[in-house]
Amino acid sequence: MMAEEEDVLFQRFAKIFIGCLAAVTSGMMYALYLSAYHERKFWFSNRQELEREITFQGDSAIYYSYYKDMLKAPSFERGVYELTHNNKTVSLKTINAVQQMSLYPELIASVLYQATGSKEIIEPVYFYIGIVFGLQGIYVTALFVTSWLMSGTWLAGMLTVAWFIINRVDTTRIEYSIPLRENWALPYFACQIAALTGYLKSNLNTYGERFCYLLMSASTYTFMMMWEYSHYLLFLQAISLFLLDIFSVEQSDKVYEVYKIYIFSLFLGYLLQFENPALLVSPLLSLVAALMLAKCLQLNVKKGSFVAKIIKVINFYLVCTLTITLNIIMKMFVPHKENGHMLKFLEVKFGLNMTKNFTMNWLLCQESLQAPSQDFFLRLTQSSLLPFYILVLIICFLSMLQVIFRRINGKSLKETVTLEDGRIGERPEIIYHVIHTILLGSLAMVIEGLKYIWIPYVCMLAAFGVCSPELWMTLFKWLRLRTVHPILLALILSMAVPTIIGLSLWKEFFPRLMTELMELQEFYDPDTVELMTWIKRQAPVAAVFAGSPQLMGAIKLCTGWMVTSLPLYNDDDLLKRNENIYQIYSKRSAEDIYKILTSYKANYLIVEDAICNEVGPIRGCRVKDLLDIANGHMVCEEGDKLTYSKYGRFCHEVKINYSPYVNYFTRVYWNRSYFVYKINTVISFQS
């Protein structure tokens, strides 16, 4: 008897050891793959520092520039002070860059770089991107573990990783924008989901429960600190847990423990994010507060009785009403400007409002904020991910509904569900994941950019399903299979199906991945390099540059010079600045443009040929078209009044060098892509 028990323990230990080894190895291999791919794509190690920095585009350039600033600071305290009272980035504006741009990753990276003595070993840029690639490895490991916890086999984790890497165009933006906040934050969210999955399991022992709770607490708080939009994702998660609580009474206490983690993280985040009002007016806080109040008002009645069912309905209505009421009250008493433009954007997106506003229409034209294209679904189908995800989701969802109806009808449910029962929808962690993936998927169908949150989830859920004997057993119970023993067939399919999928993916996609690593690509942008070199050599140190926000981000990083705008979309003042500066591509007079630029104390103007002569695939989405619509120079809808401008497009006219343009602007540098004009302080009106 003792020998049998020892044998079982050894087998369990071996299974856990091999699974953990596979999970860690998968994460490390993915991080190394990203590093190798990045090197081949940009030829990074053979480039000068300026050329490397140009590979950071748009808002990524801003984040990395502050990391550089922290390393240049005489001390950490001085560096933090300069970032929180920053008046050297945007002209006529002092900003708390740490709060406004969530620069905690850069603060941590700079501390680690200096504290570990890495200065003598590795260049700052390699240290920075190395941390991000390492976090992506943790991301993949967390997805592996979540799928393993749900299915009971580490084979599901391997399949999750395979699908994640093959579909990386839709799972991550790490290849294009390394410093993005989501690349720092989502690995922690994946860890939180893994811990939550383990915490919700019915058969978890006390030590496992404590470990999951601590990991969940730490990862929830860290996730909230890393990304300004994290509380919206946690709000969706809280809704999923609320619905789980309604459908699964047994997990009620655990769910409320998670709510406590939310409240703790929100208030600690509020204090450490310089009393960030966005967290106080967030829907997450309102929902959790409403849930806590509703719990206090709940009556103790017999489970399954008619009164209990009525109370459930009343409780649902009460929570919804309280959430909306509390959120309105908080917004009345807490001064906030956060994300007001987001609500306006959503109104226009869903057709609740119409606008000619440049910023709103520009956001609507961004590919990431539009509905997914057919190519998106085609890619997921070609990798076999979408068909298996739909199959798994349908089985789990129908099983969940079956359990709910059984509960409504007052039928008792088993405390422990066995494989023979074929009721995968009774497991609380499955109910939670089904609800959560449906919520995320619904949003991703409206805004394509959310696919980077949803598709990793899809990889994990599809892999869990095909590797889970319980899912196959649930299907066979419905089919009432009698010819073959259903348990035996379920066990065989849970091994055979993922093996076949894995072999087919290996045959089709592995050669492509190897080709990508062998191919030496080249990021070549000599015009931008020449522009940055000219600015550093010729422009005065106190000069202020005006141009497109994306280019201004690169100038801030590569030269350190002050700019008039930034590629950030969470601040109303910056959005207004961006719109005003973009007027250089509109049909406005030289005097109008001059007044706009001098109001921001700009000394130099940079006109980009790519924007001025843009030939976009969608007419009406080019910058100059959007400006014409906003200024009334182009008909947008029937009945709109068209105003003809007597001026030509400024970016074209200023190149011709005739009056009155030469009176206000003097060309001082140009190449194939950029035209730089000095903004005259003394205006001459000679013809």
Side-chain angles (χ1 to χ4, degrees), residues 90-93 544 546 564 573 576-577 580-581 588 591-603 665 679:
V90 184
S91 60
L92 301 178
K93 191 175 175 69
V544 177
T564 55
D573 180 56
K576 188 63 182 174
R577 278 175 176 250
N580 288 338
I581 300 298
R588 299 278 293 272
E591 185 181 359
D592 285 349
I593 302 299
Y594 181 82
K595 285 178 179 178
I596 290 170
L597 296 175
T598 52
S599 70
Y600 295 120
K601 300 296 181 184
N603 306 117
F665 307 97
I679 301 168

Side-chain angles (χ1 to χ4, degrees), residues 114-128:
Q114 292 172 330
T116 55
S118 300
K119 194 173 182 179
E120 307 298 326
I121 306 167
I122 188 171
E123 293 178 60
V125 65
Y126 280 109
F127 186 83
Y128 184 86

Side-chain angles (χ1 to χ4, degrees), residues 581-592:
I581 300 298
Y582 264 130
Q583 295 296 326
I584 62 177
Y585 300 104
S586 69
K587 296 176 181 178
R588 299 278 293 272
S589 68
E591 185 181 359
D592 285 349

Side-chain angles (χ1 to χ4, degrees), residues 301-314 407-410:
V301 293
K302 187 179 178 182
K303 292 175 185 177
S305 66
F306 177 75
V307 177
K309 292 171 189 174
I310 296 297
I311 286 176
K312 280 277 184 186
V313 175
I314 294 170
R407 198 181 293 278
I408 290 170
N409 293 330

Side-chain angles (χ1 to χ4, degrees), residues 521-546:
Q521 303 177 47
E522 190 170 3
F523 180 84
Y524 188 60
D525 191 0
D527 292 344
T528 306
V529 172
E530 288 172 13
L531 173 66
M532 299 304 167
T533 304
W534 181 86
I535 291 172
K536 291 172 85 170
R537 289 177 180 173
Q538 301 295 328
V541 177
V544 177
F545 283 83

Side-chain angles (χ1 to χ4, degrees), residues 385-449:
L385 176 60
L386 190 60
F388 282 107
Y389 168 74
I390 292 170
L391 173 67
V392 171
L393 183 62
I394 288 171
I395 294 171
C396 290
F397 184 69
L398 291 177
S399 181
M400 186 183 84
L401 290 179
Q402 192 178 36
V403 170
I404 292 167
F405 284 124
R406 286 173 64 85
R407 198 181 293 278
I408 290 170
N409 293 330
K411 293 181 181 178
S412 60
L413 301 174
K414 285 188 173 183
E415 288 186 13
T416 54
V417 182
T418 60
L419 179 59
E420 278 185 61
D421 297 325
R423 293 183 196 163
I424 198 164
E426 277 192 29
R427 289 168 55 186
E429 70 272 23
I430 303 300
I431 297 173
Y432 157 71
H433 280 293
V434 167
I435 297 168
H436 200 183
T437 191
I438 289 172
L439 289 175
L440 289 174
S442 302
L443 291 173
M445 291 302 101
V446 179
I447 299 173
E448 188 177 1

Side-chain angles (χ1 to χ4, degrees), residues 278-296:
L279 296 181
L280 291 185
V281 298
S282 72
L284 175 63
L285 182 60
S286 301
L287 175 61
V288 174
L291 287 162
M292 291 296 191
L293 285 170
K295 184 176 173 64
C296 295

